[in-house]
Amino acid sequence: MTTFHLVMLALLQGITEFLPVSSSGHLILFSKFTSFPDQGLEIDVALHIGSIIAVIIYFWQDIWLMISSLLKGHWLPNFKIYGNKVFYLILVATIPALLCGIALKFIGTDCLRNTKLIGWNILFYGILLWVIDRMSLTALKIRNLEIKDAVLIGLAQCLALLPGTSRSGITITMGRFLGLERREAAKFSMLLSIPTILAAGLAEGYEIWQSGDMMKIAVAFDGILYSFGFSLLAIFVLMQWLRKWTFFPFVLYRVVLGTALLLDAYGIYDIKVWLQ
C-alpha cells in the first residue's frame, strides 16, 4: 500500500467517522470506484483506532470525570455523580454491539461489503435521521438519560455493523428520538464509539501482531497517525456546526450518494463512467 493510498483512506475515515454518513461504507466504496485495491478489514480498523484517539483527546474532560469516579471508589452505579452515570450508560449501551460484533466475527462480513446493501442503508438511514431530527422538540442533556435509553441506543448501534448505516448516524438518530439536544446526541455517540471500536481494534491488532508481518504493522501505525489528525479536525468542525445548524446537509449528501449507488448497483448508471 502506497503512502498516498493510506493518506486518502485516513482522510476519508477522519471526515466520515463522526459525521453521520458512514465511514465503513465510504472505505469500502473507495476501492470499488477507484483503481486502488481493497485495503482489507485490518486497515479499516487501524484507521478507526486513530479516530478513537481523537475522541479521547477532544473529550478528555468527560473521560477524566469517568475515570476519576472509578478511582474514588464509585464502582457501583451512582447516578448522582455525572462521571459515574456516563460510565455506566456507555457500558450498558456497548454490550449489545459487542455481542453482535462477536457473532459477526464467526459468521463473516464479506457478504456485507456490497454496493446494493450500502446504497440502501445510506439512503434509508439518512432519511430516518432527517425525519426524527425534525420531530424531536426536546433538548435533553446526557445527564438526563436513563439505563433504558442507553439500552435503546446500544441496540441501535448494532445496526451500524451493516456498512452504510453509519454508527454515529444511527446512534445520533436514536439519541434525538429520545430527546437529546443535537450536540449532546453527537457527543454521546462519540463517547460510545470508544469501547466499541477499541474492542474491534484490539482484536484485529492482536491478529496483525501475531502474523509477524512488520510491513503490515508499520502501515497500520501510519494509518492510525493520519486518521487521528483528520478525525480531530472533523470532530471540531461537527461540534461547532451543531451549535447553530441541523443535520440536513449530511442527510442531503446521503440521499444523493445512496441514490447514485443504487442506480449503479442495479445497472441503470455507471458511476465509474462519471468519475472518469
Side-chain angles (χ1 to χ4, degrees):
M1 176 178 288
T2 64
T3 300
F4 177 75
H5 184 191
L6 189 60
V7 170
M8 289 300 296
L9 289 173
L11 175 62
L12 198 60
Q13 162 65 23
I15 293 174
T16 60
E17 173 59 34
F18 303 112
L19 304 184
V21 295
S22 178
S23 61
S24 60
H26 280 76
L27 289 174
I28 294 170
L29 294 171
F30 182 75
S31 62
K32 285 184 177 292
F33 295 107
T34 66
S35 58
F36 293 104
D38 191 313
Q39 64 278 2
L41 183 60
E42 62 272 8
I43 298 301
D44 285 1
V45 173
L47 295 173
H48 278 74
I49 291 295
S51 295
I52 291 307
I53 296 174
V55 172
I56 294 172
I57 296 297
Y58 190 89
F59 293 108
W60 70 268
Q61 290 177 311
D62 296 87
I63 293 169
W64 172 246
L65 286 175
M66 288 186 272
I67 294 173
S68 62
S69 171
L70 298 177
L71 291 176
K72 291 176 182 177
H74 299 296
W75 289 96
L76 296 177
N78 185 346
F79 284 7
K80 293 181 179 180
I81 302 174
Y82 175 77
N84 180 277
K85 182 173 185 176
V86 175
F87 172 80
Y88 278 102
L89 288 174
I90 291 174
L91 178 64
V92 170
T94 298
I95 293 173
L98 190 61
L99 295 176
C100 289
I102 292 172
L104 272 182
K105 185 71 175 176
F106 290 99
I107 297 172
T109 59
D110 290 343
C111 61
L112 302 178
R113 298 169 77 90
N114 70 82
T115 307
K116 286 183 182 178
L117 178 63
I118 295 172
W120 280 115
N121 285 338
I122 286 177
L123 180 62
F124 174 75
Y125 289 110
I127 295 174
L128 184 65
L129 171 60
W130 179 72
V131 171
I132 290 180
D133 186 48
R134 286 180 61 86
M135 288 174 56
S136 181
L137 300 177
T138 52
L140 301 178
K141 303 295 184 180
I142 293 175
R143 67 175 69 252
N144 299 124
L145 292 177
E146 300 297 337
I147 289 294
K148 60 180 178 59
D149 301 320
V151 171
L152 290 174
I153 295 175
L155 290 173
Q157 186 174 222
C158 293
L159 295 172
L161 294 171
L162 301 175
T165 300
S166 171
R167 194 208 59 79
S168 62
I170 196 63
T171 51
I172 288 173
T173 300
M174 181 56 77
R176 291 291 290 149
F177 177 77
L178 295 171
L180 282 178
E181 184 266 332
R182 291 188 181 98
R183 278 170 55 88
E184 290 288 291
K187 179 179 177 179
F188 189 76
S189 172
M190 293 182 203
L191 291 174
L192 181 57
S193 69
I194 297 174
T196 305
I197 299 177
L198 199 57
L202 290 175
E204 287 296 329
Y206 178 76
E207 291 187 9
I208 295 175
W209 183 263
Q210 285 292 98
S211 70
D213 189 335
M214 296 308 297
M215 180 63 71
K216 185 177 290 187
I217 293 172
V219 169
F221 273 107
D222 286 344
I224 290 172
L225 179 63
Y226 298 143
S227 177
F228 163 73
F230 292 127
S231 296
L232 192 59
L233 177 62
I235 295 171
F236 176 81
V237 170
L238 177 63
M239 296 303 286
Q240 294 303 311
W241 172 271
L242 293 178
R243 287 183 183 275
K244 297 181 179 179
W245 295 290
T246 70
F247 294 105
F248 179 73
F250 310 114
V251 171
L252 181 61
Y253 171 76
R254 289 185 68 136
V255 170
V256 172
L257 177 60
T259 302
L261 290 174
L262 292 174
L263 290 175
D264 180 88
Y266 288 101
I268 300 173
Y269 186 78
D270 190 345
I271 291 181
K272 286 187 176 181
V273 172
W274 181 81
L275 291 175
Q276 289 176 350

